[in-house]
Amino acid sequence: MPSTLTEMSGKTGVVYLVGAGPGDSGLLTMRGGELLGRAEVVVYDALVNPDLLRLAPKDAEFIYAGKRANTRAIPQGELNQLLVAKAQEGRTVVRLKGGDPYVFGRGGEEAEELRLADVCFEVVPGITSIVAATNYAGIPITHRDFCSGFTVVTGHEDPTKDTSSIDWEHLAKISGTKVVLMGVERIGVISEQLITHGMDPATPVGMVRWGTTGRQESLTGTLETIAEQVAQKGFKAPAVTVIGGVVGLREKLNWFEERPLFAQRVVATRTRTQASQLSRRLLELGADVLEIPTIKIGPPKRKEVLVEAIAALGEYDWMVFTSPNGVTSFFDYFFRAFDDIRALGNLRIAAVGPATAAKLSELRLRVDAMPRKYLTDEIAGAIQEFESVENLKIMLARAEVANPELPKELISLGAIVDDVPVYETLIETEDHNGAAARLLEEGADWITFTSSSTVQHFHERFDLPALKEKYPKLRLASIGPETSKALAALREPPTVEATEHTIDGLVEALLGR
Ligand code: SAH
């Protein structure tokens, strides 16, 4: 029996119409995540959170189907043909659509086309903005005290035209919450129609833009006032409009917009693989996070030094790791040479910082010495506390270009030090999620730096002083003294420096604690 859809469909591939949820990347379904994880082609829209693309394999083909500033959207007919063609090439296609694929997303039409072309497909529901954007604005779509149902319509059609398929008179008369999608531009005529057909002009109205994301903005008024408020504030699509008594509950239930970093745009500059821990925390605090990795990790140029060191592991008394990247890279190479952790021998291990120690403990390796202040220049002291380093052989497993002071101090204490490059820090220039473009266009409230190399590479890419001049509100947060030094060298000292030199400490500093 065929076990997967691909087998069932014979030689042709499969198209998965996947609901990406309303924006918050945590609101993708597990099935959606699983399918993205093995996609060969991803076709996505403007409303899809681009951070989700990270879940797909790096070598997948990514096709943007929406409108961008100076390009038109792929017309629906062409898009349908594209999905069919990619599947007929035998590829696994994920068609990622904002919210739920079958809610005003033309998902139904895409599925019909696939059926017509005999292409195997699956439709994965998504959390729709109807319930999610309203929820994040503190508005429950139903509540026993106010209504016993809700009606959703599109505001895309002109309500005054005879051709409108929405019976506004009927809508005005039925009870319950009313939700309008795609209704920002026509909010004036929509509210007028509802009032004309008998609704109380004082009925509360709420509008939520970019709901569930850090860019969320909302607005409340009444049927009578809302159009003017929209015009005054320059409030724009994409937004969900809610009409009814439940809007009043926002006063009590506005859990998301009260978060401490809400409406603050924060840039995270770590590597793509490391960014998520920081981003997730910032998102949970309500921030609009721009993930702009400025560095990536590559193999060291002088690989022979590493190979020699691994071959001579037995000669070392200590290994020193100064970053989680160092641990990951070293053990990548180590396990290519050995299949048993015991090949490490009896050496003792020193680590700078809890994140480095945590990476080691994933391998069940305990750290023997760790400077209390997580600072690289205190490593010699930490080892000295354990034993005298005189005549001991120490391997520093770290970045190819790293602080030259560290070996000097150990050497002056009589140690024999091999500075072994285990990875190279490279500049990252790609902008997979459009965050770099947003930073340049809209600026930000904070840029967070987690190492001196993120500072240098960020500056190389964006020219930090120029960016600060363009956006004077911009503040800089540093994880610790090394990073602050790198900022000061650019004459841009950080606004805050973390007291504890960890991601948590950095977040605390942003919060002003
Ligand atoms: N399939 C989508 C809707 C697509 S139609 C869903 O289920 O949510 C596009 C409209 O959806 C937008 O014009 C806007 O009205 C609404 N929308 C989608 N995402 C939104 C968001 N994050 N915040 C507010 N409105 C959103």
Side-chain angles (χ1 to χ4, degrees), residues 318-385:
W318 282 87
M319 272 196 80
V320 178
F321 293 98
T322 58
S323 74
N325 286 327
V327 177
T328 308
S329 304
F330 174 81
F331 282 100
D332 268 0
Y333 290 103
F334 174 84
F335 284 120
R336 281 185 221 173
F338 306 105
D339 56 6
D340 188 330
I341 193 78
R342 285 171 294 184
L344 263 186
N346 264 335
L347 46 74
R348 294 173 288 289
I349 297 177
V352 181
T356 311
K359 264 274 171 271
L360 287 160
S361 88
E362 282 173 20
L363 295 159
R364 293 286 187 275
L365 291 171
R366 201 167 26 84
V367 170
D368 302 294
M370 182 156 135
R372 265 181 296 275
K373 282 168 75 192
Y374 313 149
L375 299 175
T376 301
D377 51 9
E378 297 202 0
I379 194 85
I383 299 180
Q384 283 280 85
E385 264 179 43

Side-chain angles (χ1 to χ4, degrees), residues 37 117 164 185 217 242 314 322 383 419 449 513:
S164 171
E185 272 161 40
E217 280 172 59
V242 209
T322 58
I383 299 180
D419 202 352
F449 293 103
R513 296 203 280 241

Side-chain angles (χ1 to χ4, degrees), residues 133 137 139 180 182-188 205-211 215-221 225-242 250 257 262:
I139 305 168
V180 187
M182 297 176 278
V184 181
E185 272 161 40
R186 299 193 197 277
I187 187 65
V205 180
M207 292 179 86
V208 195
R209 171 171 201 254
W210 285 120
R215 304 159 85 175
Q216 173 169 316
E217 280 172 59
S218 46
L219 189 65
T220 47
T225 63
I226 196 77
E228 202 187 311
Q229 286 171 275
V230 165
Q232 240 173 32
K233 292 237 164 90
F235 195 83
K236 295 220 160 53
V240 167
T241 305
V242 209
R250 183 176 145 80
E257 294 176 5
F262 181 73

